[in-house]
């Protein structure tokens, strides 16, 4: 393969892991991020700039063969400028659809997928109508820029709705029914187009446990019926085709009463796919880089039947404790510890569910011993 350069908008851990996976393919990486401390700077050149500085972005992509994202909220005006210079994937359509929770929910409905009851909130009067229509308990979320549970408030009593809205800035929101789910699952999938022919593949469905709105563990395969897992894969294929998607993406679902309800999608590599680094034949990071470079996908099959990931949040453990268990693979992102900040993760793989649960428990214990 001739040498390529990929530009990544965002220099966090996702960008870092994309570069670590793509470098063996002979690809060079560069990053654009507002922070001079962005952790991807360890694995490629970092340009520091603001997202609304279209000139700086254009200089950054000059000489790139492809550009992709690990941060989705780049203003449309900056994207316009970039797209006239270089191939940018995933597409504008995918970004615009997934960055607005109302637009995203309507898109899922147009794909024939089940979503929780929801209503748009743009004013105090609309909030009253939304709460009356959807009912309580519900959850109020900012339409844009929310992540890891930020910009969200649960509303258990209609009388508390207005103050909940004010506490998140009275900005445009979505009000959703609170789903009494049995479990949360996500599918990480990839689509590429090579010489006009599309190729789609998906990793086994992952089962996710959150703590304080932040992903804590992913176990795959999710403990759901084969039929439900297939339904999630079909949903991902439909979404990818409708968006003419190129790259890796994830869709998060609730499982309630045996039914899949779509919560949201992420137009990028996803935390619930980190296990694929050692656990799959081709990691989500490598497949994303392959796709944005117009290359064929590698297999998404797991190497061992059971895989898991546990996030490291708010601390940086000493490697000795974690690595004492030979089943644990440690990934630290080179980030300083801060409350609620993801600083790394641990992957484990096993032949059986039981062995996996044991390894996962050991990983959590090792984290606890490191005061994590
Ligand atoms: P989100 O930012 O939409 O991914 O929400 C973060 C987490 O909050 C989800 O993974 C769920 O654990 C919880 N959550 C969000 N929306 C709902 C909902 N409508 N019903 C129940 N739990 C929710």
């Amino acid at each position: 393969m001739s040498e390529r350069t990929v530009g990544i908008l965002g220099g966090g851990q996702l960008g870092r892991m994309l570069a670590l996976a793509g470098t063996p393919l002979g690809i060079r990486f560069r990053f654009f991020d507002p922070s001079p401390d962005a952790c991807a700077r360890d694995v490629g050149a970092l340009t520091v700039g603001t997202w609304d500085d279209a000139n700086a972005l254009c200089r950054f992509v000059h000489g790139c063969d492809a550009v992709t994202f690990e941060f989705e909220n780049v203003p449309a005006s900056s994207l316009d400028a970039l797209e006239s210079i270089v191939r940018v994937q995933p597409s504008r359509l995918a970004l615009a659809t997934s960055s607005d929770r109302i637009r995203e929910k309507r898109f899922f409905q147009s794909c024939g997928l089940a979503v929780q009851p929801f209503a748009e909130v743009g004013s105090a009067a609309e909030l009253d109508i939304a709460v009356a229509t959807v009912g309580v308990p519900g959850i109020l979320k900012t339409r844009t820029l929310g992540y890891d549970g930020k910009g969200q408030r649960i509303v258990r009593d209609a009388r508390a709705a207005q103050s909940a809205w004010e506490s998140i800035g009275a900005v445009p929101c979505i009000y959703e029914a609170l789903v009494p789910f049995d479990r949360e699952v996500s599918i990480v999938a990839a689509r590429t187009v090579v010489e006009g022919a599309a190729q789609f593949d998906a990793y086994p469905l992952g089962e996710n446990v959150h703590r304080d709105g932040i992903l804590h563990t992913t176990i795959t395969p999710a403990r759901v019926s084969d039929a439900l897992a297939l339904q999630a894969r079909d949903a991902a294929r439909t979404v990818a085709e409708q968006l003419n998607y190129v790259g890796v993406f994830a869709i998060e679902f609730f499982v309630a009463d045996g039914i899949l309800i779509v919560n949201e999608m992420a137009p990028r590599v996803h935390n619930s796919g980190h296990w694929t680094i050692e656990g799959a034949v081709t990691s989500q990071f490598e497949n994303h880089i392959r796709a944005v470079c117009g290359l064929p996908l590698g297999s998404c099959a797991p190497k061992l039947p059971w895989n898991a990931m546990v996030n490291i949040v708010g601390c940086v453990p000493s490697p000795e404790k974690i690595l004492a268990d030979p089943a644990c693979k440690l990934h630290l992102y080179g980030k300083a510890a801060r409350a609620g900040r993801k600083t790394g993760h641990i992957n484990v793989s096993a032949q059986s569910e039981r062995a996996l649960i044991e390894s996962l428990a050991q990983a959590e214990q090792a984290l606890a011993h490191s005061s994590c």
Side-chain angles (χ1 to χ4, degrees):
M1 189 198 306
S2 61
E3 194 167 276
R4 288 183 165 89
T5 297
V6 172
I8 300 185
L9 304 181
Q13 66 264 23
L14 301 181
R16 179 179 165 112
M17 290 187 275
L18 284 167
L20 288 170
T23 301
L25 297 176
I27 299 170
R28 288 177 192 276
F29 291 87
R30 60 173 78 155
F31 304 93
F32 186 98
D33 197 282
S35 168
D37 296 326
C39 69
R41 70 179 179 177
D42 293 343
V43 294
L46 173 67
T47 299
V48 179
T50 55
W51 297 119
D52 56 2
D53 187 346
N55 286 334
L57 281 163
C58 288
R59 282 197 301 276
F60 167 74
V61 303
H62 187 76
C64 286
D65 300 283
V67 166
T68 190
F69 300 84
E70 63 121 60
F71 172 84
E72 303 104 274
N73 294 304
V74 181
S77 54
S78 300
L79 281 179
D80 282 339
L82 290 187
E83 284 183 334
S84 63
I85 303 175
V86 66
R87 176 184 151 105
V88 183
Q89 294 289 0
S91 69
R92 286 287 287 280
L93 177 64
L95 290 171
T97 305
S98 56
S99 62
D100 175 348
R101 289 184 189 270
I102 296 277
R103 187 168 174 179
E104 183 182 52
K105 284 274 191 293
R106 292 197 180 124
F107 166 69
F108 290 140
Q109 287 178 315
S110 75
C111 292
L113 305 175
V115 299
Q116 62 271 58
F118 70 94
E120 195 173 329
V121 175
S123 65
E126 268 183 6
L127 176 60
D128 285 340
I129 297 167
V131 174
T133 318
V134 174
V136 286
I139 182 163
L140 200 54
K141 302 178 182 176
T142 57
R143 273 181 79 152
T144 58
L145 299 174
Y147 68 99
D148 283 346
K150 292 189 174 66
Q152 302 188 3
R153 293 287 181 277
I154 291 179
V155 177
R156 297 196 184 278
D157 179 337
R159 286 167 300 185
Q162 294 291 346
S163 61
W165 189 45
E166 277 153 28
S167 74
I168 48 175
V171 293
C173 278
I174 186 171
Y175 180 71
E176 301 171 2
L178 199 66
V179 179
F181 57 80
D182 302 318
R183 52 192 85 221
E184 290 189 81
V185 297
S186 58
I187 187 126
V188 177
R191 185 172 179 271
T192 191
V193 179
V194 184
E195 288 170 12
Q199 186 191 352
F200 170 89
D201 202 356
Y203 296 95
L205 193 65
E207 183 172 332
N208 302 323
V209 173
H210 292 82
R211 272 193 196 162
D212 304 323
I214 301 176
L215 183 66
H216 176 56
T217 54
T218 298
I219 292 181
T220 181
R223 289 159 289 190
V224 299
S225 68
D226 289 349
L228 213 72
L230 195 62
Q231 216 182 310
R233 188 185 167 97
D234 287 345
R237 187 193 291 274
T238 305
V239 162
E241 283 171 2
Q242 291 301 312
L243 294 172
N244 193 17
Y245 195 90
V246 170
V248 164
F249 64 101
I251 305 179
E252 296 179 34
F253 304 87
F254 301 120
V255 181
D257 284 337
I259 291 173
L260 271 184
I261 297 167
V262 187
N263 182 34
E264 62 177 2
M265 74 173 285
R268 53 170 167 74
V269 286
H270 193 252
N271 198 168
S272 69
H274 287 4
W275 66 269
T276 63
I277 296 176
E278 289 92 11
V281 174
T282 316
S283 76
Q284 63 163 349
F285 300 102
E286 181 176 337
N287 264 337
H288 185 75
I289 294 302
R290 287 185 185 218
V292 301
C293 290
L295 297 167
L297 299 178
S299 166
C300 291
K303 292 183 194 162
L304 288 182
W306 289 87
N307 291 278
M309 182 243 28
V310 55
N311 264 336
I312 304 172
V313 180
C315 63
V316 180
S318 59
E320 291 79 2
K321 291 259 168 35
I322 313 292
L323 300 179
D325 178 353
C328 287
K329 301 292 282 186
L330 175 64
H331 297 262
L332 292 176
Y333 308 148
K335 289 163 70 176
R338 214 184 286 153
R341 192 181 206 204
K342 294 173 185 168
T343 57
H345 70 270
I346 299 170
N347 285 344
V348 291
S349 302
Q351 282 290 358
S352 69
E353 180 179 1
R354 195 172 151 189
L356 187 85
I357 300 297
E358 274 170 20
S359 285
L360 197 55
Q362 276 179 27
E364 299 221 43
Q365 225 170 44
L367 279 177
H369 282 143
S370 303
S371 311
C372 271

